[in-house]
Amino acid sequence: MKILLLLLAAAGLCWGQYNPNTVPKRTSIVHLFEWRWQDIAEECERYLAPNGFGGVQVSPPNENLVITSPNRPWWERYQPISYKICSRSGNEEQFKDMVKRCNDVGVRIYVDAVVNHMCGAAGGSGTHSTCGSYFNAGNRDFPAVPYSGWDFNDGKCHTGSGEIESYNDIYQVRDCRLSSLLDLALEKDYVRSTIAEYMNRLIDMGVAGFRIDAAKHMWPGDIRAFLDKLHDLNTQWFSEGTKPFIYQEVIDLGGEPIKGSEYFGNGRVTEFKYGAKLGTVIRKWDGEKMAYLKNWGEGWGFVPSDRALVFVDNHDNQRGHGAGGASILTFWDARLYKMAVGFMLAHPYGVTRVMSSFRWPRYFENGKDVNDWYGPPSNSDGSTKSVTINPDTTCGNDWVCEHRWRQIRNMVIFRNVVDGEPFSNWWDNGSNQVAFGRGNKGFIIFNNDDWNMNVYVQTGLPAGTYCDVISGQKENNQCTGKQVFVSGDGMANFQINTDAEDPFIAIHVDAKL
Ligand code: QV4
Ligand code: CA
């Protein structure tokens, strides 16, 4: 194996950028959206490590525009002012402490890198930024980086507005402003080197990889150019020559000239078809039914599994931004959401990312949530509230903590237990009752029909008594929820009534009495 790696490395095929660099048998990433660095550090130690989470995607750590109208929207963090590590989540010292503490317990940190642009053209000038750095958006002056007029695409964009006006024109999509955000000239070595310097500071602190924000709006070759300038990961926590994990935000639902596959050379891509389709199937819209999930994955036209980063919802489409539309399931649709997340975590396709959100006062007018801009739970001074943990292990202060929901946490563990096992023993009733296993390590079954289920199916598991990890779990060698008896031939009876709290059952060999 060593020789192969050396050959691959020698060939310049820095293969590692597809590998999340998690410690073995930790397979999922959780997006702790808008969390403070101190809270993430504590969550790594008290919850994520003990429950087998592989890593955390954090919100953009760099200095951003302070927007007061509307009042401190979550999306101000997607309007960079500089690459100084200071934001509503904390300062550089707190960020470094978080990375160290999480790595020390085997939980990786992935940074949301906003490097396609700086703040909006109407961002004004002054020091209304999270670190107080001066800037002048009007004349493209960002002295805290530094960037100046030379470093932006203004002259390269050919639309009247200077903004992207058609996603059917691949040149506009890359060289014009996305929603007025000042577009960086990534063909310039100075800009590529400046971005790489920012990312290398993070890598040297111990970061394991990056989400590349708005990757569709950068030429694949330009992304490649700055990735080639990146350091290997910090050998305090990673073996020599380990490459940063790269997953690029490329929204490709089909119908546009730009495809996710253009970006495979750089790393993985976010597969947005996944959440959009799974939501449609679980909601039983458009004649979709779970029996069709038999060939889920590449069979549904998704990118290859080893190039995919998948999720049920993300920070954009859980609030109507970005892509996915009305079919996207979120924590607001809890019962269906748990089914979707459970299916995603049980199925072998892709690297899985679990969303962890904050609650906001959704308010629909003409079908649109007019409060979709709300920022994280915050104090009167605008600072983000800390994450409090209730006696029942849920979170307070309006943090939703989906990753702490028993059904979701236990399915993160399920994915670890079955890691590497093949998709097997598919069964369905031709409608919305389906089941499948992962080799001889795990098995899951759903009843999403409007009638009760009582079936005998082949699990592929060794004989024994298993604890259902959805209705409960194994504690002190007892099941706190349902039990499943697998007989010598691998067969088991499953009964799921339509009024069940969660109409699915999951068992695995680490939950066997
Ligand atoms: C608006 C108009 C402009 C106008 C401008 C004038 O759109 O035409 O010129 O006002 O001020 C916010 C506002 C948006 C405003 C813009 C600039 O919502 O109305 O422009 O700021 O002031 C997030 C939010 C955006 C937000 C942006 C910057 O979703 O609403 O814009 O942050 O604050 C496409 C892309 C995809 C992108 C997705 C949202 O292909 O890459 O849209 N997703 C990523 C991130 C997302 C983020 C960005 C990209 C930008 O996931 O969170 O957008 O970094 O599909
Ligand atoms: Ca661009």
Side-chain angles (χ1 to χ4, degrees):
M1 185 57 177
K2 217 63 172 145
I3 302 293
L4 172 66
L5 297 190
L6 290 175
L7 285 175
L8 275 176
L13 298 175
C14 34
W15 59 283
Q17 73 268 42
Y18 307 105
N19 180 327
N21 300 316
T22 54
V23 303
K25 289 296 181 193
R26 289 188 184 177
T27 56
S28 292
I29 293 170
V30 56
H31 181 191
L32 295 180
F33 181 56
E34 284 284 2
W35 278 43
R36 297 161 61 247
W37 310 142
Q38 287 170 277
D39 292 324
I40 294 176
E42 285 164 27
E43 189 73 348
C44 281
E45 294 165 345
R46 69 191 170 204
Y47 197 83
L48 300 179
N51 288 291
F53 286 78
V56 180
Q57 176 182 314
V58 304
S59 287
N62 60 291
E63 180 174 28
N64 61 264
L65 183 67
V66 169
I67 296 174
T68 50
S69 174
N71 181 31
R72 306 305 305 273
W74 59 270
W75 38 259
E76 68 169 40
R77 294 186 74 160
Y78 289 87
Q79 299 202 31
I81 294 297
S82 81
Y83 299 137
K84 291 180 188 169
I85 309 298
C86 78
S87 65
R88 263 195 295 194
S89 289
N91 62 31
E92 179 158 337
E93 280 321 300
Q94 291 160 333
F95 183 88
K96 281 200 287 201
D97 183 55
M98 167 191 70
V99 174
K100 173 179 176 356
R101 288 167 62 185
C102 292
N103 271 329
D104 282 351
V105 293
V107 179
R108 303 306 184 205
I109 297 295
Y110 308 102
V111 165
D112 194 349
V114 183
V115 295
N116 168 68
H117 53 266
M118 299 303 276
C119 70
S125 68
T127 56
H128 47 295
S129 55
T130 46
C131 229
S133 299
Y134 173 79
F135 69 96
N136 182 325
N139 57 31
R140 314 304 186 243
D141 188 17
F142 295 87
V145 177
Y147 282 144
S148 71
W150 305 106
D151 304 316
F152 292 88
N153 275 334
D154 294 276
K156 204 179 302 134
C157 169
H158 301 305
T159 62
S161 63
E163 297 191 15
I164 298 169
E165 295 171 0
S166 164
Y167 275 74
N168 286 317
D169 178 339
I170 66 172
Y171 298 93
Q172 286 186 37
V173 174
R174 274 64 175 262
D175 298 336
C176 295
R177 296 198 295 264
L178 166 63
S179 290
S180 89
L181 300 167
L182 296 173
D183 209 52
L184 285 167
L186 279 125
E187 86 281 359
K188 288 185 62 175
D189 188 64
Y190 171 74
V191 173
R192 293 168 174 182
S193 300
T194 303
I195 289 169
E197 190 276 334
Y198 164 53
M199 296 172 80
N200 279 329
R201 267 190 288 131
L202 296 167
I203 287 172
D204 295 348
M205 292 176 196
V207 158
F210 299 91
R211 169 193 185 262
I212 307 295
D213 177 69
K216 182 158 85 172
H217 303 279
M218 297 180 271
W219 295 98
D222 288 346
I223 295 175
R224 183 70 215 223
F226 68 71
L227 293 181
D228 283 347
K229 296 173 184 277
L230 296 188
H231 297 165
D232 294 342
L233 299 190
N234 187 318
T235 52
Q236 185 173 345
W237 295 289
F238 303 93
S239 53
E240 188 81 29
T242 305
K243 299 295 177 194
F245 176 47
I246 298 296
Y247 54 106
Q248 302 158 98
E249 189 219 9
V250 180
I251 298 181
D252 172 7
L253 293 175
E256 287 179 25
I258 296 173
K259 302 294 174 203
S261 56
E262 295 174 51
Y263 293 82
F264 288 171
N266 298 334
R268 290 183 184 250
V269 296
T270 50
E271 178 51 274
F272 275 82
K273 294 175 186 166
Y274 191 98
K277 287 292 183 187
L278 191 53
T280 305
V281 171
I282 301 283
R283 292 173 186 274
K284 300 190 277 191
W285 284 357
D286 304 346
E288 293 288 10
K289 51 188 174 184
M290 291 190 79
Y292 294 153
L293 295 175
K294 183 173 187 174
N295 65 341
W296 185 245
E298 293 91 339
W300 278 60
F302 302 161
V303 301
S305 176
D306 62 4
R307 293 292 177 272
L309 188 283
V310 295
F311 43 94
V312 171
D313 64 327
N314 79 339
H315 70 281
D316 279 328
N317 63 26
Q318 70 170 189
R319 49 176 50 79
H321 283 234
S327 74
I328 296 295
L329 288 166
T330 75
F331 69 89
W332 295 105
D333 321 291
R335 191 166 184 267
L336 293 180
Y337 186 63
K338 286 177 280 183
M339 290 173 74
V341 176
F343 187 91
M344 173 182 78
L345 291 169
H347 197 279
Y349 180 86
V351 167
T352 48
R353 183 182 64 195
V354 171
M355 184 69 202
S356 190
S357 319
F358 60 78
R359 202 169 286 105
W360 74 94
R362 279 200 312 184
Y363 185 81
F364 289 95
E365 284 178 357
N366 307 320
K368 183 178 181 323
D369 174 13
V370 295
N371 288 341
D372 66 345
W373 56 270
Y374 263 64
S378 53
N379 304 303
S380 51
D381 66 356
S383 62
T384 299
K385 283 187 177 174
S386 59
V387 178
T388 53
I389 305 298
N390 300 320
D392 67 357
T393 76
T394 58
C395 295
N397 275 349
D398 272 330
W399 298 100
V400 180
C401 287
E402 299 96 315
H403 69 287
R404 281 174 163 257
W405 295 4
R406 179 189 67 248
Q407 302 86 342
I408 293 179
R409 179 206 55 238
N410 284 350
M411 284 310 294
V412 165
I413 295 169
F414 179 108
R415 189 176 193 80
N416 293 342
V417 171
V418 307
D419 186 35
E421 293 296 319
F423 180 73
S424 57
N425 292 306
W426 173 269
W427 167 88
D428 67 65
N429 70 339
S431 180
N432 290 284
Q433 296 176 3
V434 303
F436 63 92
R438 294 290 303 278
N440 62 0
K441 293 283 192 333
F443 189 79
I444 191 166
I445 187 165
F446 297 82
N447 178 14
N448 198 22
D449 273 327
D450 302 331
W451 57 90
N452 294 341
M453 178 173 85
N454 182 349
V455 294
Y456 281 86
V457 295
Q458 176 54 246
T459 65
L461 299 186
T465 303
Y466 292 77
C467 299
D468 170 28
V469 296
I470 303 305
S471 58
Q473 57 215 12
K474 174 182 168 184
E475 287 178 11
N476 309 318
N477 208 34
Q478 289 186 323
C479 298
T480 59
K482 297 175 184 171
Q483 294 190 6
V484 176
F485 306 96
V486 175
S487 51
D489 59 1
M491 296 295 283
N493 172 239
F494 293 92
Q495 298 177 32
I496 303 177
N497 291 344
T498 54
D499 62 357
E501 179 193 0
D502 295 297
F504 63 116
I505 292 172
I507 55 178
H508 59 74
V509 291
D510 282 3
K512 183 170 177 289
L513 298 184

